[in-house]
Amino acid sequence: VTSVFGNSGPTVGATGDISATGTILVTHLSSPLPLAQGGLNCAAPFPILAKTATYQVLLADFTCNTTITVASGTFTLTLVASSGMPAAGTGVRILNYGSGVVTVAASGQNINGSGTSQTLAAGSASAPTGIAVQTDGTNYFAQPVSASSGGGSTSVTTKGDLQGFDT
């Protein structure tokens, strides 16, 4: 991100040049924007992380809104332990499109009000199984994510006007 400010405010010339009079301040962020400044503190927010064996889900996975994909194997993904709970409102998505069964286990917290684990049945590329997991900072909440097989279409219903913008 780069920004330019001057006493009279920046102006853009016909050739795209940016100019300002007075003091000019130029900033460039070369590292992730920290949480305290409204960022995710992630070098790559919303990453995709492939797993084929047991994995301890990390705090950073929640902070960066990671999607964990499973192409093969039967194993357990264990969520962050209660001693290092992710911040409220953060989450991960887990998609199983492999032939194995994936168990999503808590580490001392509840998932949807219960201490039990969640199980993702075997899936396929055209019909993966999955869950979206979020936290309130104390416990976890999981919403199933599923896809129907056979292609088809998805319709969107809206109330009001839809508007598009040319860039």
Side-chain angles (χ1 to χ4, degrees):
V1 175
T2 302
S3 47
V4 179
F5 300 99
N7 291 343
S8 66
T11 59
V12 179
T15 61
D17 294 337
I18 299 174
S19 63
T21 60
T23 304
I24 298 175
L25 169 66
V26 177
T27 61
H28 176 73
L29 298 176
S30 60
S31 62
L33 188 60
L35 289 171
Q37 295 177 1
L40 293 175
N41 203 29
C42 300
F46 308 103
I48 296 175
L49 180 63
K51 291 295 170 191
T52 58
T54 298
Y55 177 66
Q56 173 69 53
V57 180
L58 304 174
L59 179 63
D61 295 331
F62 273 85
T63 303
C64 295
N65 296 299
T66 301
T67 296
I68 299 170
T69 60
V70 179
S72 65
T74 294
F75 56 90
T76 299
L77 297 172
T78 305
L79 301 176
V80 179
S82 56
S83 61
M85 279 297 288
T90 60
V92 296
R93 282 156 307 289
I94 303 166
L95 294 177
N96 182 11
Y97 60 94
S99 59
V101 175
V102 176
T103 301
V104 179
S107 294
Q109 314 84 351
N110 289 327
I111 300 176
N112 295 341
S114 171
T116 61
S117 298
Q118 302 288 310
T119 302
L120 301 179
S124 67
S126 61
T129 61
I131 59 173
V133 180
Q134 282 195 288
T135 179
D136 63 359
T138 304
N139 290 294
Y140 294 109
F141 301 91
Q143 171 67 42
V145 175
S146 62
S148 60
S149 60
S153 63
T154 302
S155 62
V156 176
T157 303
T158 184
K159 191 174 189 178
D161 296 332
L162 290 177
Q163 297 180 3
F165 299 94
D166 289 332
T167 56

